[in-house]
Amino acid sequence: MIERYVWELRDADETQVAVVGGKGAHLGGLSRIDGVRVPEGFCVTTDAFRQVMAEAPSIDDQLDQLSRLDPDDREAVRRLSAQVRRTIEGIAVPDDLAAAITRALGRLGEQAAYAVRSSATAEDLPTASFAGQQDTYLNVMGRAEILRHVSRCWASLFTERAVTYRQRNGIDHRTVRMAVVVQRMAFPQASGVLFTADPVSGNRKVATVDAGFGLGEALVSGLVNPDVFTVRDGEVVAKTIAAKQRAVQALPAGGTQEVAIDAQQQQQPALTDAQVVRLVELGRRIEAHFGRPQDIEWCLVDDDFRIVQSRPITTLFPVPEAGDQENHVYVSVGHQQMMTDAMKPLGLSMWQLTAMVPMHAAGGRLFVDATRRLSSPAGRAALLDVMGKGDPLVRDALETVLDRDDFVPSLPDAVPGRPAAGGAPAPIENDPAVVKELIERSRASVAALERDIRTKTGPELFDFLLEAFDEHKRVLGDPLSVQAIMAGMDATWWLNDKLQEWLGEKNAADTLTLSAPDNITSEMGLALLDVADVIRARPEVVAFLQDVEDEDFLGELAKVAGGAEARDAIEGYLDRYGMRCVGEIDITRPRWSERPTTLVPVLLDNVRNFAPGAAARRFEEGRRKAQEKEDDVLARLRALPDGDRKADETKRMIDRVRTFIGYREYPKYGIVSRYFVYKQALLAEAERLVAADLLPAKEDVFYLTFQELHDVVRSHQVDGRLVQQRKDAFRAYQALTPPRVLTSDGEAVTGAYRRDDVPAGALVGLPVSVGTVEGRARVVLDMAEADLEAGDILVTTFTDPSWSPLFVGIAGLVTEVGGLMTHGAVIAREYGLPAVVGVAQATRLIRDGQRIRVHGTDGYVEILP
């Protein structure tokens, strides 16, 4: 019989987290798996917790106070959470609940020893494990002690660490309930943890077992180092046997104690290899049942394994679904697009529908399957060359996988005489009119899209958009556009290679490309300086902007003295660039036109840090430096043997790079311009769904794919549970760091620079813009919170084109992600900023306010004393 307050473990399963909590649900599910032994027990349900909480009206006020605390205010969290715990532990267990627990103990043996374990509803979930956030009590004996420890488990929902964890994960304290698992104690010879996937590399085919003597508390508390076994394909492939000097054992009268291990036993393995393999086989069965890699707590009793907990490993990056059992190698799209944040489902699906190559979604990010290109010698060489020029870490990661001879299949090159797919584009003349024509083509296409989409609503809109996506890809794949982009990049590489060979000068093209024409992204940064000129001359406007919080501030701005002119300048900027934003490849991100307050801190920095006319001076200064560099290089070349030929070739390449390198930024501007049009139309549909009471908020459509949204508009039916599941998944994906390269085994391969030419302690990266600069590091993770002074060095995770307005006011750039031709690198060169990109964990290793020295020519960063 299932009671309201007490359930037998065997009556629970994974669908009943709301009743028995995460641990109880998983233990119930485990008990149903053939061959898996779970110690007998029962759950005190969340209904019991709810009744106890209702006994103390003061709890509501305490939870209100707790929810308002800053999770970083540790003293306040400690004080208030302790108060909540004391309140809960002071509540007497109601008679009917105590009777239900007593009956359950009677069925299992009231005089036996038990483990009393917390089981919160936000625990052991696919998106958040909450491991160790609540309490467990071992070897509890007697009815009164068990009731007391049930109360302590309820109270442990409000330990300092649990409260902080929930606040950092955006989980409301009131939405979490606590059940309590009461199980017969197991008295093991050995215990430990099994990971059915390698928790470090992510490899799903490798399992690791940590093992020690006695109860698992010795391992969990760090009292001893465990034996560690690595298992692959049913075989122990590596093991480390630790000296296990201590163990935790149960006391006859209840409780536990530390004991010393006999000296002769300390070096003995806690498990035999055969036991390890048998345990991993059991783990694979559990993993198959739950459908994802598991973190499993086990104990060994008389050569028989008992499973006392299993939770998903939430730190693993998900693997794209391939639909086959073949090996695959995936390359991150986000690292090439300078946007490694998680994307919402609508953003993912829209990028997939408009991309030029197939892309696979996993963990809120996109990946390209590079396996086929890596399989043939010619394809492999071409891909590694391109990746190496863009991001050496990606190339190294791919080479790491290729070094495993059996992972990527080896296929012959294409049939001789047949042109290779994606071969080099035909050459193009150094004609500036080509760029003007391409820009005009793109503008005309966007204008036609804006005109034609106005009359489209409902299912007709989605049919129209599918046709628009074809036009989108046609513009993006325009052969002339590809030729122009490649001409600029090839000329850059030629100049860098030849001028280092002939003159011994590194990255000479960086100076030669300063203030190149037709660069829409660098123009965007300079244009905001012009807006600042309008604002600077109007003190009332400056004062108004310093207190702006409302996104509708432009209307109020016009009422301030001089505000109409400032408003017109800002709106003119937004008309040209308002479709941009940080993370702009995700259509769901708020654009500057939608959230203009994002630009206000940058505008105020420009007002403070620059004099009038700075934009024109900056551009002219860059053009002058580029011309001086050209004159210097050509003169030095002519002094060399065969110098006239070398100078003539170099002059042609300089002209070529200055003609085409600025256009490198325009296709992305065209894409984002089109995206803004798509987004406005889709949000109009979302507003109609809200008006029809099908959605509570228009932004909920961001958690549906394009096709799912199409289906909702056509059927007028929405699965609210799916939207909530997607929100939960997105929140979990935000906490994951995407790998540059990911294999179908789940292994995240990061790559390394493998350099020995940098000072000890320096942070190594990729040199993308020459020069050395020393200054104050400003670690900025959100452009809207930037507060920069002249001479500061910007340190951030990635910079897409939307960060360019910040570049005009800084002295150098350091990013965690990027390559030689990604947008941040191009604009850093355009503005003459020393820059190093691809610096692993730069935002963690460099503290805001530290002085650093950026070596943009040699590719490393020094943290100064």
Side-chain angles (χ1 to χ4, degrees):
M1 180 182 103
I2 296 179
E3 300 191 37
R4 177 185 175 191
Y5 294 136
V6 173
W7 282 29
E8 299 294 333
L9 266 183
R10 61 177 176 268
D11 292 329
D13 63 31
E14 306 89 293
T15 66
Q16 289 153 337
V17 171
V19 179
V20 296
K23 188 181 282 101
H26 273 77
L27 287 168
L30 284 165
S31 66
R32 296 161 183 256
I33 304 173
D34 186 40
V36 174
R37 294 196 62 183
V38 176
E40 286 186 297
F42 59 88
C43 285
V44 181
T45 68
T46 53
D47 268 350
F49 174 78
R50 193 177 290 110
Q51 178 177 340
V52 167
M53 293 289 278
E55 298 285 327
S58 64
I59 285 283
D60 280 341
D61 180 56
Q62 292 172 13
L63 293 186
D64 283 341
Q65 295 177 53
L66 205 56
S67 65
R68 290 194 292 268
L69 292 181
D70 181 339
D72 292 324
D73 188 350
R74 298 185 62 180
E75 180 54 39
V77 171
R78 182 182 299 115
R79 176 176 44 77
L80 192 52
S81 60
Q83 182 181 338
V84 175
R85 291 196 303 277
R86 285 194 299 272
T87 301
I88 295 172
E89 289 186 40
I91 301 169
V93 177
D95 291 343
D96 53 348
L97 173 54
I101 294 173
T102 301
R103 285 193 296 273
L105 288 171
R107 290 190 292 271
L108 292 176
E110 193 168 331
Q111 301 309 310
Y114 290 88
V116 183
R117 314 173 68 193
S118 303
S119 180
T121 52
E123 181 178 352
D124 296 351
L125 304 179
T127 56
S129 74
F130 284 77
Q133 299 309 308
Q134 285 89 38
D135 291 343
T136 286
Y137 303 96
L138 301 179
N139 203 29
V140 181
M141 302 174 73
R143 171 184 175 277
E145 280 299 289
I146 288 170
L147 289 175
R148 185 169 75 87
H149 283 84
V150 167
S151 289
R152 293 183 70 185
C153 283
W154 288 330
S156 76
L157 188 62
F158 298 98
T159 62
E160 180 187 349
R161 61 183 182 273
V163 167
T164 302
Y165 191 97
R166 282 196 295 275
Q167 287 181 297
R168 293 195 190 285
N169 282 273
I171 297 172
D172 186 346
H173 301 302
R174 296 176 183 279
T175 64
V176 184
R177 300 281 183 265
M178 179 68 84
V180 181
V181 173
V182 181
Q183 283 179 284
R184 288 286 294 260
M185 269 293 293
F187 301 100
Q189 290 80 48
S191 57
V193 180
L194 159 65
F195 295 96
T196 64
D198 187 324
V200 177
S201 72
N203 195 321
R204 270 52 164 192
K205 292 188 176 179
V206 173
T208 63
V209 175
D210 291 2
F213 294 125
L215 293 167
E217 293 305 294
L219 267 60
V220 172
S221 65
L223 180 65
V224 298
N225 291 324
D227 297 339
V228 181
F229 302 85
T230 303
V231 178
R232 182 171 186 137
D233 298 329
E235 180 183 354
V236 175
V237 295
K239 59 183 171 182
T240 301
I241 306 303
K244 300 169 288 296
Q245 297 176 341
R246 311 285 293 172
V248 174
Q249 292 184 350
L251 291 169
T256 62
Q257 69 173 6
E258 293 180 19
V259 298
I261 300 294
D262 182 85
Q264 292 182 326
Q265 190 186 5
Q266 288 177 10
Q267 299 285 353
Q268 294 296 313
L271 297 177
T272 67
D273 284 9
Q275 287 172 329
V276 169
V277 170
R278 179 153 52 92
L279 175 61
V280 171
E281 289 172 352
L282 200 59
R284 293 293 180 212
R285 200 176 304 168
I286 294 169
E287 178 184 68
H289 174 83
F290 289 118
R292 58 190 302 141
Q294 296 288 300
D295 164 358
I296 299 167
E297 294 181 20
W298 56 269
C299 53
L300 181 70
V301 181
D302 299 326
D303 197 37
D304 188 21
F305 286 106
R306 311 287 172 87
I307 304 301
V308 294
Q309 190 158 332
S310 184
R311 62 170 73 91
I313 307 175
T314 57
T315 56
L316 299 178
F317 201 88
V319 181
E321 294 182 11
D324 60 38
Q325 299 302 310
E326 302 298 320
N327 289 343
H328 294 270
V329 181
Y330 301 99
V331 176
S332 165
V333 173
H335 284 82
Q336 298 165 58
Q337 290 293 333
M338 297 294 281
M339 212 300 268
T340 54
D341 290 351
M343 296 170 66
K344 296 185 179 76
L346 185 62
L348 290 168
S349 63
M350 291 288 282
W351 193 261
Q352 287 172 305
L353 286 166
T354 53
M356 302 302 290
V357 296
M359 293 184 179
H360 306 266
R365 278 79 170 188
L366 291 168
F367 295 85
V368 172
D369 189 346
T371 318
R372 189 166 187 83
R373 291 194 66 183
L374 292 171
S375 298
S376 67
R380 182 183 311 131
L383 182 62
L384 291 176
D385 181 57
V386 170
M387 291 297 172
K389 288 176 177 175
D391 185 341
L393 292 177
V394 174
R395 175 173 182 146
D396 186 79
L398 291 173
E399 288 176 332
T400 299
V401 176
L402 288 168
D403 285 344
R404 301 165 190 161
D405 296 335
D406 58 343
F407 193 83
V408 176
S410 184
L411 301 173
D413 286 330
V415 178
R418 182 179 298 171
I428 187 174
E429 292 301 317
N430 285 359
D431 184 358
V434 170
V435 172
K436 305 297 183 191
E437 179 187 346
L438 287 168
I439 290 173
E440 186 49 44
R441 285 187 196 178
S442 179
R443 286 176 177 165
S445 178
V446 172
L449 172 66
E450 291 174 328
R451 180 189 67 239
D452 296 342
I453 204 170
R454 287 176 189 147
T455 59
K456 306 297 189 294
T457 60
E460 183 187 11
L461 169 66
F462 289 83
D463 294 337
F464 171 82
L465 284 172
L466 289 172
E467 294 178 6
F469 297 161
D470 289 336
E471 168 66 6
H472 181 123
K473 289 189 279 191
R474 187 197 66 75
V475 172
L476 200 57
D478 183 337
L480 187 62
S481 178
V482 175
Q483 286 175 293
I485 293 169
M486 291 308 301
M489 292 198 298
D490 286 341
T492 300
W493 293 327
W494 189 97
L495 286 167
N496 282 336
D497 290 345
K498 291 298 185 182
L499 294 181
Q500 181 159 15
E501 176 188 343
W502 293 337
L503 299 176
E505 188 164 343
K506 290 182 180 179
N507 300 330
D510 292 1
T511 307
L512 293 167
T513 55
L514 290 172
S515 297
D518 300 311
N519 189 318
I520 189 71
T521 306
S522 64
E523 289 169 4
M524 178 172 68
L526 297 175
L528 203 62
L529 287 176
D530 290 335
V531 177
D533 286 351
V534 176
I535 292 169
R536 187 183 297 105
R538 296 166 170 83
E540 293 88 346
V541 171
V542 174
F544 174 86
L545 291 176
Q546 286 171 342
D547 295 323
V548 158
E549 293 182 359
D550 192 338
E551 298 298 345
D552 297 327
F553 72 90
L554 289 173
E556 292 298 313
L557 176 59
K559 301 173 185 177
V560 176
E565 295 86 350
R567 179 202 59 195
D568 292 347
I570 294 172
E571 287 183 340
Y573 185 87
L574 292 174
D575 286 344
R576 181 118 169 94
Y577 303 111
M579 77 294 291
R580 310 217 81 148
C581 68
V582 173
E584 60 194 10
I585 70 170
D586 182 353
I587 197 172
T588 72
R589 290 286 192 104
R591 311 285 135 171
W592 289 343
S593 289
E594 298 168 314
R595 193 173 289 173
T597 55
T598 303
L599 293 174
V600 171
V602 190
L603 269 171
L604 291 173
D605 284 348
N606 288 349
V607 167
R608 185 175 66 250
N609 296 332
F610 293 93
R617 285 195 305 275
R618 288 287 296 267
F619 188 82
E620 179 54 31
E621 181 184 357
R623 192 202 60 75
R624 179 181 54 77
K625 285 182 178 178
Q627 185 61 56
E628 289 173 355
K629 186 70 172 178
E630 176 181 332
D631 294 342
D632 172 64
V633 163
L634 295 180
R636 289 159 61 197
L637 286 173
R638 288 195 177 97
L640 298 176
D642 196 21
D644 287 343
R645 177 188 63 80
K646 291 174 180 175
D648 289 346
E649 287 184 13
T650 300
K651 172 59 176 168
R652 280 195 298 275
M653 285 300 178
I654 292 173
D655 290 345
R656 193 167 184 77
V657 81
R658 291 196 67 80
T659 298
F660 294 114
I661 199 63
Y663 178 71
R664 163 75 178 80
E665 293 292 299
Y666 201 87
K668 183 75 170 285
Y669 176 79
I671 291 171
V672 177
S673 298
R674 298 180 72 88
Y675 262 36
F676 192 43
V677 179
Y678 304 153
K679 181 179 186 179
Q680 289 173 305
L682 290 173
L683 282 179
E685 284 301 310
E687 287 171 350
R688 282 187 272 273
L689 294 173
V690 171
D693 291 328
L694 291 169
L695 286 175
K698 65 181 181 180
E699 289 80 9
D700 283 356
V701 300
F702 295 160
Y703 296 94
L704 301 173
T705 67
F706 178 84
Q707 187 55 56
E708 288 166 347
L709 180 53
H710 189 180
D711 292 341
V712 167
V713 169
R714 192 164 43 212
S715 67
H716 271 238
Q717 293 183 327
V718 181
D719 184 348
R721 290 172 302 176
L722 175 64
V723 171
Q724 187 57 51
Q725 288 168 5
R726 295 276 177 77
K727 288 180 179 180
D728 293 340
F730 176 71
R731 186 167 57 242
Y733 294 154
Q734 286 178 300
L736 298 177
T737 300
R740 282 175 164 83
V741 172
L742 180 68
T743 73
S744 49
D745 285 353
E747 184 178 4
V749 191
T750 56
Y753 286 106
R754 308 186 192 282
R755 290 174 54 186
D756 55 10
D757 59 343
V758 297
L763 308 181
V764 184
L766 178 66
V768 296
S769 186
V770 295
T772 300
V773 65
E774 181 179 319
R776 180 180 65 160
R778 297 314 309 263
V779 179
V780 180
L781 302 180
D782 183 346
M783 180 178 161
E785 296 176 0
D787 181 14
L788 299 168
E789 300 286 348
D792 284 346
I793 297 169
L794 175 63
V795 180
T796 189
T797 48
F798 60 80
T799 57
D800 59 12
S802 70
W803 287 77
S804 298
L806 292 183
F807 283 24
V808 298
I810 59 176
L813 174 69
V814 179
T815 68
E816 295 181 349
V817 176
L820 190 62
M821 283 298 170
T822 48
H823 300 276
V826 171
I827 304 307
R829 291 193 291 273
E830 176 77 12
Y831 287 162
L833 300 174
V836 180
V837 302
V839 179
Q841 298 188 1
T843 60
R844 297 184 182 92
L845 298 174
I846 300 172
R847 296 195 310 273
D848 186 58
Q850 278 186 315
R851 289 196 68 78
I852 61 174
R853 186 179 296 127
V854 178
H855 295 262
T857 305
D858 296 313
Y860 63 91
V861 180
E862 292 180 284
I863 300 176
L864 303 176

